[in-house]
Amino acid sequence: GFFEKTSRHALMFVRRVRPVLFVSFDNLSNIGDRSPERGPWAYKFARDLSVSHLGVMAYGKMWYRDAELIARFHKLRDEGFFDGYDRVVFSGSSMGAFASLVFASLVPGAHVLAFNPQSTLDPALVPWEERYWTGRRQDWTLPLSDAKGALTQAGPVSVFYDPYFTPDRMHFERVAAPNVTGYK
């Protein structure tokens, strides 16, 4: 595998036996962990299932609005990194779920498991979203900034959300599509 670190993110890839690639993105609860034992979100889950794992670790509340990270994922796609797996699954929670929705658009047929995702924090697109002020101040002009319409070539997309919490429901409604199943 490999480990790559920048000032804003780290990517850790572990190749394992099964022909499945699990791509995970940290959520807000992971970013403060500076321990040497820190692993990417869902590391143990992927390890226990013996699936390959590309984990993206975030060092801030930036909602993955980082040109360098976006370029790295485009390069991984262009080099065929995601090819050769029977299944590629993107997953995350909240901030990480947003990333799983938009970065999955780089891998046609990818599956997505998104837990309480935001579809974007671009104030022009979701003026009703008033949480996450640090994330809202990021650069939303970068590619992969909006999950609405981004999942047309994805495989099954499962979104777990609270339909009784208005912002969560509205984000889900923005990404609703024939291949998207909502779980309350």
Side-chain angles (χ1 to χ4, degrees), residues 36-57:
E37 298 83 20
R38 178 185 181 190
W41 188 78
Y43 176 81
K44 184 180 180 309
F45 172 78
R47 184 195 65 203
D48 291 351
L49 291 175
S50 296
V51 298
S52 295
H53 185 197
L54 175 61
V56 182
M57 295 180 277

PDB file of all heavy atoms in Angstrom, residues 36-57:
ATOM      1  N   PRO A  36      -0.490   8.641  17.489  1.00  0.00           N
ATOM      2  CA  PRO A  36       0.251   7.861  16.484  1.00  0.00           C
ATOM      3  C   PRO A  36      -0.523   6.621  16.018  1.00  0.00           C
ATOM      4  O   PRO A  36      -0.256   6.093  14.949  1.00  0.00           O
ATOM      5  CB  PRO A  36       1.542   7.452  17.181  1.00  0.00           C
ATOM      6  CG  PRO A  36       1.538   8.079  18.522  1.00  0.00           C
ATOM      7  CD  PRO A  36       0.219   8.737  18.744  1.00  0.00           C
ATOM      8  N   GLU A  37      -1.490   6.164  16.805  1.00  0.00           N
ATOM      9  CA  GLU A  37      -2.267   4.981  16.451  1.00  0.00           C
ATOM     10  C   GLU A  37      -3.451   5.308  15.547  1.00  0.00           C
ATOM     11  O   GLU A  37      -4.174   4.414  15.124  1.00  0.00           O
ATOM     12  CB  GLU A  37      -2.807   4.294  17.715  1.00  0.00           C
ATOM     13  CG  GLU A  37      -1.735   3.775  18.653  1.00  0.00           C
ATOM     14  CD  GLU A  37      -1.200   4.859  19.587  1.00  0.00           C
ATOM     15  OE1 GLU A  37      -1.886   5.894  19.796  1.00  0.00           O
ATOM     16  OE2 GLU A  37      -0.085   4.693  20.079  1.00  0.00           O
ATOM     17  N   ARG A  38      -3.648   6.582  15.252  1.00  0.00           N
ATOM     18  CA  ARG A  38      -4.813   6.983  14.468  1.00  0.00           C
ATOM     19  C   ARG A  38      -4.812   6.303  13.107  1.00  0.00           C
ATOM     20  O   ARG A  38      -3.815   6.260  12.405  1.00  0.00           O
ATOM     21  CB  ARG A  38      -4.815   8.500  14.253  1.00  0.00           C
ATOM     22  CG  ARG A  38      -5.985   8.941  13.400  1.00  0.00           C
ATOM     23  CD  ARG A  38      -5.942  10.404  13.084  1.00  0.00           C
ATOM     24  NE  ARG A  38      -7.112  10.760  12.288  1.00  0.00           N
ATOM     25  CZ  ARG A  38      -7.271  11.912  11.694  1.00  0.00           C
ATOM     26  NH1 ARG A  38      -6.360  12.840  11.807  1.00  0.00           N
ATOM     27  NH2 ARG A  38      -8.343  12.154  10.990  1.00  0.00           N
ATOM     28  N   GLY A  39      -5.969   5.813  12.752  1.00  0.00           N
ATOM     29  CA  GLY A  39      -6.168   5.250  11.422  1.00  0.00           C
ATOM     30  C   GLY A  39      -7.343   5.945  10.773  1.00  0.00           C
ATOM     31  O   GLY A  39      -8.051   6.721  11.415  1.00  0.00           O
ATOM     32  N   PRO A  40      -7.583   5.694   9.512  1.00  0.00           N
ATOM     33  CA  PRO A  40      -8.726   6.307   8.840  1.00  0.00           C
ATOM     34  C   PRO A  40     -10.045   5.778   9.381  1.00  0.00           C
ATOM     35  O   PRO A  40     -10.113   4.697   9.974  1.00  0.00           O
ATOM     36  CB  PRO A  40      -8.544   5.921   7.378  1.00  0.00           C
ATOM     37  CG  PRO A  40      -7.396   5.017   7.294  1.00  0.00           C
ATOM     38  CD  PRO A  40      -6.784   4.856   8.643  1.00  0.00           C
ATOM     39  N   TRP A  41     -11.095   6.532   9.125  1.00  0.00           N
ATOM     40  CA  TRP A  41     -12.433   6.141   9.541  1.00  0.00           C
ATOM     41  C   TRP A  41     -12.743   4.756   8.986  1.00  0.00           C
ATOM     42  O   TRP A  41     -12.457   4.457   7.824  1.00  0.00           O
ATOM     43  CB  TRP A  41     -13.435   7.174   9.011  1.00  0.00           C
ATOM     44  CG  TRP A  41     -14.830   7.014   9.503  1.00  0.00           C
ATOM     45  CD1 TRP A  41     -15.318   7.372  10.724  1.00  0.00           C
ATOM     46  CD2 TRP A  41     -15.925   6.458   8.783  1.00  0.00           C
ATOM     47  NE1 TRP A  41     -16.652   7.081  10.811  1.00  0.00           N
ATOM     48  CE2 TRP A  41     -17.059   6.512   9.621  1.00  0.00           C
ATOM     49  CE3 TRP A  41     -16.079   5.918   7.508  1.00  0.00           C
ATOM     50  CZ2 TRP A  41     -18.312   6.057   9.242  1.00  0.00           C
ATOM     51  CZ3 TRP A  41     -17.322   5.466   7.129  1.00  0.00           C
ATOM     52  CH2 TRP A  41     -18.419   5.535   7.984  1.00  0.00           C
ATOM     53  N   ALA A  42     -13.273   3.877   9.829  1.00  0.00           N
ATOM     54  CA  ALA A  42     -13.688   2.512   9.480  1.00  0.00           C
ATOM     55  C   ALA A  42     -12.514   1.586   9.147  1.00  0.00           C
ATOM     56  O   ALA A  42     -12.687   0.569   8.481  1.00  0.00           O
ATOM     57  CB  ALA A  42     -14.715   2.517   8.357  1.00  0.00           C
ATOM     58  N   TYR A  43     -11.326   1.913   9.623  1.00  0.00           N
ATOM     59  CA  TYR A  43     -10.156   1.066   9.361  1.00  0.00           C
ATOM     60  C   TYR A  43     -10.382  -0.365   9.847  1.00  0.00           C
ATOM     61  O   TYR A  43     -10.141  -1.329   9.119  1.00  0.00           O
ATOM     62  CB  TYR A  43      -8.904   1.659  10.008  1.00  0.00           C
ATOM     63  CG  TYR A  43      -7.703   0.771   9.846  1.00  0.00           C
ATOM     64  CD1 TYR A  43      -6.977   0.767   8.661  1.00  0.00           C
ATOM     65  CD2 TYR A  43      -7.305  -0.105  10.856  1.00  0.00           C
ATOM     66  CE1 TYR A  43      -5.886  -0.065   8.481  1.00  0.00           C
ATOM     67  CE2 TYR A  43      -6.220  -0.941  10.693  1.00  0.00           C
ATOM     68  CZ  TYR A  43      -5.513  -0.921   9.513  1.00  0.00           C
ATOM     69  OH  TYR A  43      -4.444  -1.759   9.335  1.00  0.00           O
ATOM     70  N   LYS A  44     -10.840  -0.512  11.103  1.00  0.00           N
ATOM     71  CA  LYS A  44     -11.047  -1.844  11.660  1.00  0.00           C
ATOM     72  C   LYS A  44     -12.112  -2.604  10.867  1.00  0.00           C
ATOM     73  O   LYS A  44     -11.966  -3.804  10.627  1.00  0.00           O
ATOM     74  CB  LYS A  44     -11.447  -1.738  13.135  1.00  0.00           C
ATOM     75  CG  LYS A  44     -11.583  -3.071  13.833  1.00  0.00           C
ATOM     76  CD  LYS A  44     -11.979  -2.889  15.290  1.00  0.00           C
ATOM     77  CE  LYS A  44     -12.122  -4.183  16.028  1.00  0.00           C
ATOM     78  NZ  LYS A  44     -12.942  -5.200  15.438  1.00  0.00           N
ATOM     79  N   PHE A  45     -13.149  -1.915  10.451  1.00  0.00           N
ATOM     80  CA  PHE A  45     -14.213  -2.524   9.648  1.00  0.00           C
ATOM     81  C   PHE A  45     -13.631  -3.144   8.372  1.00  0.00           C
ATOM     82  O   PHE A  45     -13.879  -4.308   8.056  1.00  0.00           O
ATOM     83  CB  PHE A  45     -15.261  -1.455   9.321  1.00  0.00           C
ATOM     84  CG  PHE A  45     -16.315  -1.885   8.354  1.00  0.00           C
ATOM     85  CD1 PHE A  45     -17.371  -2.686   8.763  1.00  0.00           C
ATOM     86  CD2 PHE A  45     -16.269  -1.470   7.025  1.00  0.00           C
ATOM     87  CE1 PHE A  45     -18.357  -3.078   7.868  1.00  0.00           C
ATOM     88  CE2 PHE A  45     -17.248  -1.850   6.124  1.00  0.00           C
ATOM     89  CZ  PHE A  45     -18.299  -2.659   6.541  1.00  0.00           C
ATOM     90  N   ALA A  46     -12.840  -2.370   7.640  1.00  0.00           N
ATOM     91  CA  ALA A  46     -12.237  -2.869   6.400  1.00  0.00           C
ATOM     92  C   ALA A  46     -11.261  -4.008   6.682  1.00  0.00           C
ATOM     93  O   ALA A  46     -11.227  -5.006   5.955  1.00  0.00           O
ATOM     94  CB  ALA A  46     -11.530  -1.728   5.663  1.00  0.00           C
ATOM     95  N   ARG A  47     -10.467  -3.849   7.726  1.00  0.00           N
ATOM     96  CA  ARG A  47      -9.507  -4.898   8.089  1.00  0.00           C
ATOM     97  C   ARG A  47     -10.217  -6.207   8.413  1.00  0.00           C
ATOM     98  O   ARG A  47      -9.833  -7.278   7.941  1.00  0.00           O
ATOM     99  CB  ARG A  47      -8.667  -4.450   9.288  1.00  0.00           C
ATOM    100  CG  ARG A  47      -7.577  -5.458   9.673  1.00  0.00           C
ATOM    101  CD  ARG A  47      -7.011  -5.199  11.043  1.00  0.00           C
ATOM    102  NE  ARG A  47      -8.075  -5.416  12.017  1.00  0.00           N
ATOM    103  CZ  ARG A  47      -8.083  -4.879  13.228  1.00  0.00           C
ATOM    104  NH1 ARG A  47      -7.128  -4.086  13.626  1.00  0.00           N
ATOM    105  NH2 ARG A  47      -9.078  -5.121  14.058  1.00  0.00           N
ATOM    106  N   ASP A  48     -11.281  -6.122   9.224  1.00  0.00           N
ATOM    107  CA  ASP A  48     -11.998  -7.331   9.631  1.00  0.00           C
ATOM    108  C   ASP A  48     -12.684  -8.030   8.458  1.00  0.00           C
ATOM    109  O   ASP A  48     -12.878  -9.235   8.483  1.00  0.00           O
ATOM    110  CB  ASP A  48     -13.023  -7.004  10.717  1.00  0.00           C
ATOM    111  CG  ASP A  48     -12.367  -6.617  12.043  1.00  0.00           C
ATOM    112  OD1 ASP A  48     -11.125  -6.773  12.174  1.00  0.00           O
ATOM    113  OD2 ASP A  48     -13.096  -6.135  12.937  1.00  0.00           O
ATOM    114  N   LEU A  49     -13.037  -7.281   7.426  1.00  0.00           N
ATOM    115  CA  LEU A  49     -13.649  -7.872   6.231  1.00  0.00           C
ATOM    116  C   LEU A  49     -12.620  -8.286   5.182  1.00  0.00           C
ATOM    117  O   LEU A  49     -12.982  -8.832   4.137  1.00  0.00           O
ATOM    118  CB  LEU A  49     -14.629  -6.888   5.595  1.00  0.00           C
ATOM    119  CG  LEU A  49     -15.906  -6.609   6.383  1.00  0.00           C
ATOM    120  CD1 LEU A  49     -16.733  -5.532   5.697  1.00  0.00           C
ATOM    121  CD2 LEU A  49     -16.729  -7.887   6.549  1.00  0.00           C
ATOM    122  N   SER A  50     -11.354  -8.009   5.442  1.00  0.00           N
ATOM    123  CA  SER A  50     -10.254  -8.327   4.525  1.00  0.00           C
ATOM    124  C   SER A  50     -10.436  -7.666   3.155  1.00  0.00           C
ATOM    125  O   SER A  50     -10.127  -8.256   2.123  1.00  0.00           O
ATOM    126  CB  SER A  50     -10.078  -9.835   4.360  1.00  0.00           C
ATOM    127  OG  SER A  50      -9.703 -10.412   5.576  1.00  0.00           O
ATOM    128  N   VAL A  51     -10.942  -6.420   3.153  1.00  0.00           N
ATOM    129  CA  VAL A  51     -11.075  -5.679   1.904  1.00  0.00           C
ATOM    130  C   VAL A  51      -9.995  -4.605   1.843  1.00  0.00           C
ATOM    131  O   VAL A  51      -9.546  -4.082   2.867  1.00  0.00           O
ATOM    132  CB  VAL A  51     -12.479  -5.033   1.753  1.00  0.00           C
ATOM    133  CG1 VAL A  51     -13.558  -6.106   1.714  1.00  0.00           C
ATOM    134  CG2 VAL A  51     -12.763  -4.025   2.840  1.00  0.00           C
ATOM    135  N   SER A  52      -9.562  -4.284   0.646  1.00  0.00           N
ATOM    136  CA  SER A  52      -8.594  -3.201   0.469  1.00  0.00           C
ATOM    137  C   SER A  52      -9.236  -1.906   0.939  1.00  0.00           C
ATOM    138  O   SER A  52     -10.458  -1.729   0.851  1.00  0.00           O
ATOM    139  CB  SER A  52      -8.167  -3.098  -0.994  1.00  0.00           C
ATOM    140  OG  SER A  52      -7.472  -4.262  -1.383  1.00  0.00           O
ATOM    141  N   HIS A  53      -8.401  -0.996   1.429  1.00  0.00           N
ATOM    142  CA  HIS A  53      -8.949   0.216   2.056  1.00  0.00           C
ATOM    143  C   HIS A  53      -8.104   1.426   1.671  1.00  0.00           C
ATOM    144  O   HIS A  53      -6.902   1.445   1.891  1.00  0.00           O
ATOM    145  CB  HIS A  53      -8.940   0.037   3.569  1.00  0.00           C
ATOM    146  CG  HIS A  53      -9.572   1.155   4.324  1.00  0.00           C
ATOM    147  ND1 HIS A  53      -9.357   1.335   5.663  1.00  0.00           N
ATOM    148  CD2 HIS A  53     -10.413   2.153   3.960  1.00  0.00           C
ATOM    149  CE1 HIS A  53     -10.043   2.393   6.087  1.00  0.00           C
ATOM    150  NE2 HIS A  53     -10.678   2.909   5.061  1.00  0.00           N
ATOM    151  N   LEU A  54      -8.773   2.416   1.086  1.00  0.00           N
ATOM    152  CA  LEU A  54      -8.176   3.723   0.873  1.00  0.00           C
ATOM    153  C   LEU A  54      -8.880   4.664   1.834  1.00  0.00           C
ATOM    154  O   LEU A  54     -10.060   4.972   1.649  1.00  0.00           O
ATOM    155  CB  LEU A  54      -8.353   4.198  -0.570  1.00  0.00           C
ATOM    156  CG  LEU A  54      -7.861   5.614  -0.876  1.00  0.00           C
ATOM    157  CD1 LEU A  54      -6.361   5.753  -0.621  1.00  0.00           C
ATOM    158  CD2 LEU A  54      -8.205   6.009  -2.317  1.00  0.00           C
ATOM    159  N   GLY A  55      -8.182   5.084   2.870  1.00  0.00           N
ATOM    160  CA  GLY A  55      -8.761   5.959   3.878  1.00  0.00           C
ATOM    161  C   GLY A  55      -8.201   7.362   3.752  1.00  0.00           C
ATOM    162  O   GLY A  55      -6.994   7.549   3.657  1.00  0.00           O
ATOM    163  N   VAL A  56      -9.100   8.338   3.731  1.00  0.00           N
ATOM    164  CA  VAL A  56      -8.690   9.741   3.672  1.00  0.00           C
ATOM    165  C   VAL A  56      -8.893  10.333   5.059  1.00  0.00           C
ATOM    166  O   VAL A  56     -10.013  10.370   5.566  1.00  0.00           O
ATOM    167  CB  VAL A  56      -9.499  10.525   2.622  1.00  0.00           C
ATOM    168  CG1 VAL A  56      -9.014  11.965   2.545  1.00  0.00           C
ATOM    169  CG2 VAL A  56      -9.405   9.840   1.266  1.00  0.00           C
ATOM    170  N   MET A  57      -7.797  10.779   5.650  1.00  0.00           N
ATOM    171  CA  MET A  57      -7.846  11.381   6.981  1.00  0.00           C
ATOM    172  C   MET A  57      -7.774  12.897   6.835  1.00  0.00           C
ATOM    173  O   MET A  57      -6.905  13.414   6.141  1.00  0.00           O
ATOM    174  CB  MET A  57      -6.698  10.860   7.836  1.00  0.00           C
ATOM    175  CG  MET A  57      -6.812   9.372   8.126  1.00  0.00           C
ATOM    176  SD  MET A  57      -5.485   8.715   9.138  1.00  0.00           S
ATOM    177  CE  MET A  57      -4.234   8.431   7.900  1.00  0.00           C
TER     178      MET A  57
END
